[in-house]
């Protein structure tokens, strides 16, 4: 049995980004651990979902445990920082927000958990945090440093395959008989396929991934476009998860968990 620790910025991030990878690992008998930098205090709740007086951060933390159960994770931890909000917002300067955290200090907090778990793989985000969110970028910085401190064999940076995404959107436009116009924000999303080193095929765990997303009901409404996708479209679009593994792993020393789950792109 191996161990994979997934370091995330906010509750629900794990369900959208790496839930397929984690569910596949858990189904194979590996230990899965989730660590969140924040409790997502600044998320925008689905209208009407919170009870009168219900605290959003408490609700979102509880949803993490439900999502963890859906994918088979055995441990959930929070580092205790506050949500920094979207890029450019005044909340980026709040004194206890994750974006302002000292990288080494936060990394030492994370490394305590890593030292306890001795993971084969640590997942973080790419250097742009997937799409530029300050807390996601900080997860990349803190996660890399913590992985170094704890000598984690593999640090896998989850990312969106920008070319894969573009091909999918273009194909959908053609099927609908309309012209494809790339979204303005597309250059900020993920990485080009040429920079991606590995993928995890998790189509068979699309149901677990969708269940994890549903668990985050305060943020993802039942009619959210991702949950509203037909099963086949959801599996095709979200069933493969992409990673950058840098530095490369020596094949002779690669953990079994890594070799079992991660397929080289080329």
């Amino acid at each position: 049995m191996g161990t994979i620790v997934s370091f995330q910025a906010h509750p629900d991030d794990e369900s959208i980004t790496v839930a397929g990878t984690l569910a596949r690992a858990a189904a194979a008998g590996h230990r899965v651990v989730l660590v969140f930098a924040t409790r997502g205090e600044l998320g925008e709740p689905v209208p009407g979902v919170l009870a009168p007086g219900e605290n959003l951060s408490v609700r979102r933390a509880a949803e993490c445990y439900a999502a963890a159960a859906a994918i088979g994770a055995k441990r959930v931890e929070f580092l205790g920082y506050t949500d920094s909000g979207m890029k450019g917002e005044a909340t980026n300067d709040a004194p206890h927000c994750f974006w302002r955290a000292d990288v080494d200090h936060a990394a030492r907090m994370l490394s305590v958990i890593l030292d306890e778990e001795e993971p084969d793989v640590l997942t973080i985000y790419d250097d742009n945090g997937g799409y530029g969110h300050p807390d996601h970028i900080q997860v990349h910085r803190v996660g890399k440093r913590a992985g170094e401190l704890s000598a984690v064999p593999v640090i896998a940076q989850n990312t969106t395959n920008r070319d894969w995404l573009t091909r999918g959107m273009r194909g959908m436009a053609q099927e609908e008989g309309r012209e494809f116009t790339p979204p303005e924000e597309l250059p900020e999303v993920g990485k080009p396929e040429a920079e991606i080193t590995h993928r995890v095929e998790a189509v068979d765990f699309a149901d677990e991934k969708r269940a994890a997303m549903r668990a985050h009901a305060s943020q993802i409404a039942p009619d959210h476009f991702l949950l509203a996708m037909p099963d086949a479209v959801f599996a095709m679009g979200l069933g493969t998860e992409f990673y950058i593994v840098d530095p490369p792993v020596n094949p002779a020393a690669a953990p079994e968990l890594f070799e079992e789950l991660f397929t080289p792109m080329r």
Side-chain angles (χ1 to χ4, degrees), residues 17 35 56 60 68 83 85 135 139 146 153 160 213 217 232:
T17 59
V35 182
L56 179 59
R60 295 192 73 179
D83 192 339
D135 284 337
V139 161
T160 297
M213 292 172 63

Side-chain angles (χ1 to χ4, degrees), residues 72-147:
K74 300 302 184 184
R75 181 180 181 183
V76 177
E77 295 287 349
F78 299 88
L79 294 190
Y81 292 98
T82 59
D83 192 339
S84 306
M86 298 299 288
K87 181 179 179 179
E89 293 184 356
T91 50
N92 296 171
D93 295 323
H96 301 294
C97 74
F98 187 49
W99 177 240
R100 287 178 58 88
D102 179 82
V103 170
D104 276 346
H105 182 268
R108 289 195 298 273
M109 294 174 64
L110 176 58
S111 70
V112 170
I113 299 169
L114 298 180
D115 290 345
E116 292 172 351
E117 294 291 343
E118 297 183 345
D120 302 281
V121 176
L122 169 66
T123 80
I124 58 175
Y125 310 128
D126 65 40
D127 59 5
N128 192 43
Y131 65 101
H133 192 296
D135 284 337
H136 288 230
I137 294 172
Q138 191 75 321
V139 161
H140 172 85
R141 296 171 178 171
V142 170
K144 285 203 74 173
R145 180 61 179 140

Side-chain angles (χ1 to χ4, degrees), residues 223-238:
D223 60 353
H224 188 281
F225 80 96
L226 291 177
L227 293 182
M229 288 179 175
D231 290 346
V233 175
F234 183 92
M236 179 180 66
L238 283 82

